[in-house]
Amino acid sequence: LQAVSVDPTTPDVAWNAANLFLTQGKTAQALQQFAVAMRGDPNLVQPSLELCWRAVHDPSTIQSILPPDPTAYLKFVRLLIAKQQWDGAQQIWSAMFGLNRGFDGRQALFYVDTLLARKEVTGAQRAWEQLAAISPNWQVDSGDNELVVNGSFERPSLSAGFDWRYSPQPGSTASIDVTEFHSGRQSLLLFYNGVNGDSGLLQYVAVKPNTEYRLAAWVKSRKLEGANGPVVAVSDAYSDQLYAASAETLGSTEWHRLEGSLQTGPDTQLVTIRVRRDPGTTLIRGEFWIDDVSLRPSGSLTAR
């Protein structure tokens, strides 16, 4: 404690003092020293948060000692999620944006994915919009009520949130191709060479219940051989109920537009857009390009 009076701003000194105060039951003094430690050394943020939570179990109290750094707030959000403190996590998430400090939105995508996993689609969409506001290229490609993010594959996918995700699957590989595209400067190429039902390409899209939508995509193929070809499909993200599937593509084709219409169910909030085959238990070989994927409410313009 004498060290604190002599050197009140050194993080290591504050950390040791905070732990001593905790053992003495002096919680308020401990929190003050944890605040000094966290402000002075980012590496002390996580252990300080864990000890603070054990001591007080109160998000507001801990928020009051956080450094004004979005990274520290995100660490606290993660901790609260791990403790299943959902209201507290939302409180700290909202307070983070009140700091008005920029940060890399990719650090925060875990929160969007957590809400999607909990079927809190409205909250996930709101969080995504907050992140997109500070990361403008996360927005959809165009107006006219477009719902697909990065439908033209012009930027690297985030593999999280409401952007494209890709998980490698047996029998196919995905890559960006700058030599073939319908618009822009590139497209996504799926190369099939084996048994494959799901390409591994997926995007979550928030939708409204009991609403009609139009699906569209531009595709091309080269020597695509199999009993059945890939389709662009829309399904309920939680029940996997199929709502729409485009026509199959096989053989060698030039760029052509695939379309489909769908009506969401009374409880539908989230759908997935995938490239898949059904059945997917047979061999398929060849190349399949996809570009300008679109999902919009019926009545909106869908041509790209």
Side-chain angles (χ1 to χ4, degrees), residues 100-174:
N100 293 318
R101 297 188 60 176
F103 63 96
D104 185 349
R106 291 173 295 183
Q107 299 176 13
L109 286 169
F110 72 90
Y111 186 63
V112 180
D113 286 349
T114 297
L115 293 175
L116 289 176
R118 284 176 52 80
K119 301 184 180 181
E120 296 182 18
V121 178
T122 300
Q125 190 173 22
R126 186 183 307 115
W128 172 266
E129 290 170 353
Q130 289 174 303
L131 294 174
I134 63 172
S135 309
N137 63 342
W138 293 16
Q139 301 284 4
V140 295
D141 287 345
S142 61
D144 299 318
N145 297 314
E146 179 58 63
L147 299 178
V148 175
V149 174
N150 194 23
S152 57
F153 304 98
E154 289 298 301
R155 61 165 177 77
S157 70
L158 298 168
S159 288
F162 290 94
D163 201 351
W164 292 109
R165 302 161 185 252
Y166 175 68
S167 57
Q169 302 292 318
S172 70
T173 57

Side-chain angles (χ1 to χ4, degrees), residues 109-295:
L109 286 169
F110 72 90
Y111 186 63
V112 180
D113 286 349
T114 297
L115 293 175
L116 289 176
R118 284 176 52 80
K119 301 184 180 181
E120 296 182 18
V121 178
T122 300
Q125 190 173 22
R126 186 183 307 115
W128 172 266
E129 290 170 353
Q130 289 174 303
L131 294 174
I134 63 172
S135 309
N137 63 342
W138 293 16
Q139 301 284 4
V140 295
D141 287 345
S142 61
D144 299 318
N145 297 314
E146 179 58 63
L147 299 178
V148 175
V149 174
N150 194 23
S152 57
F153 304 98
E154 289 298 301
R155 61 165 177 77
S157 70
L158 298 168
S159 288
F162 290 94
D163 201 351
W164 292 109
R165 302 161 185 252
Y166 175 68
S167 57
Q169 302 292 318
S172 70
T173 57
S175 62
I176 293 296
D177 190 345
V178 299
T179 67
E180 294 283 355
F181 44 83
H182 173 254
S183 70
R185 294 174 295 178
Q186 57 194 37
S187 66
L188 185 88
L189 167 62
L190 291 169
F191 177 73
Y192 290 96
N193 187 27
V195 176
N196 180 269
D198 187 341
S199 67
L201 181 70
L202 173 151
Q203 184 172 137
Y204 290 114
V205 180
V207 294
K208 296 179 180 179
N210 296 319
T211 303
E212 293 183 358
Y213 292 90
R214 293 289 297 175
L215 169 70
W218 286 83
V219 302
K220 177 179 178 174
S221 60
R222 180 183 297 154
K223 296 181 179 179
L224 193 58
E225 302 174 350
N228 55 298
V231 303
V232 184
V234 178
S235 303
D236 187 287
Y238 298 118
S239 71
D240 203 31
Q241 177 184 346
L242 180 64
Y243 288 131
S246 71
E248 297 179 2
T249 298
L250 282 172
S252 295
T253 65
E254 294 303 316
W255 285 106
H256 60 284
R257 191 167 184 261
L258 300 178
E259 295 182 287
S261 61
L262 61 134
Q263 165 108 22
T264 56
D267 300 315
T268 310
Q269 299 183 71
L270 189 71
V271 297
T272 59
I273 299 177
R274 299 175 183 264
V275 177
R276 70 185 205 182
R277 298 171 64 232
D278 188 17
T281 54
T282 57
L283 288 170
I284 182 170
R285 290 187 174 87
E287 296 170 300
F288 177 81
W289 289 266
I290 182 169
D291 201 358
D292 292 332
V293 184
S294 171
L295 185 69

Side-chain angles (χ1 to χ4, degrees), residues 4 10 15 54 73 92 114 142 164 208 210 225 298 300:
V4 171
T10 299
W15 167 261
R54 289 185 208 168
Y73 276 66
I92 302 304
T114 297
S142 61
W164 292 109
K208 296 179 180 179
N210 296 319
E225 302 174 350
S298 293
S300 300

Side-chain angles (χ1 to χ4, degrees), residues 41-120:
D41 186 351
N43 293 323
L44 292 177
V45 171
Q46 188 65 42
S48 295
L49 288 173
E50 292 171 357
L51 290 174
C52 288
W53 180 255
R54 289 185 208 168
V56 298
H57 286 80
D58 180 41
S60 296
T61 299
I62 298 174
Q63 179 190 336
S64 69
I65 65 169
L66 286 175
D69 179 359
T71 301
Y73 276 66
L74 287 172
K75 288 181 179 180
F76 193 24
V77 171
R78 281 188 183 273
L79 185 149
L80 291 168
I81 288 174
K83 304 297 183 183
Q84 299 189 355
Q85 300 292 315
W86 306 110
D87 290 343
Q90 172 60 47
Q91 172 189 326
I92 302 304
W93 174 269
S94 298
M96 176 182 67
F97 285 93
L99 297 173
N100 293 318
R101 297 188 60 176
F103 63 96
D104 185 349
R106 291 173 295 183
Q107 299 176 13
L109 286 169
F110 72 90
Y111 186 63
V112 180
D113 286 349
T114 297
L115 293 175
L116 289 176
R118 284 176 52 80
K119 301 184 180 181
E120 296 182 18

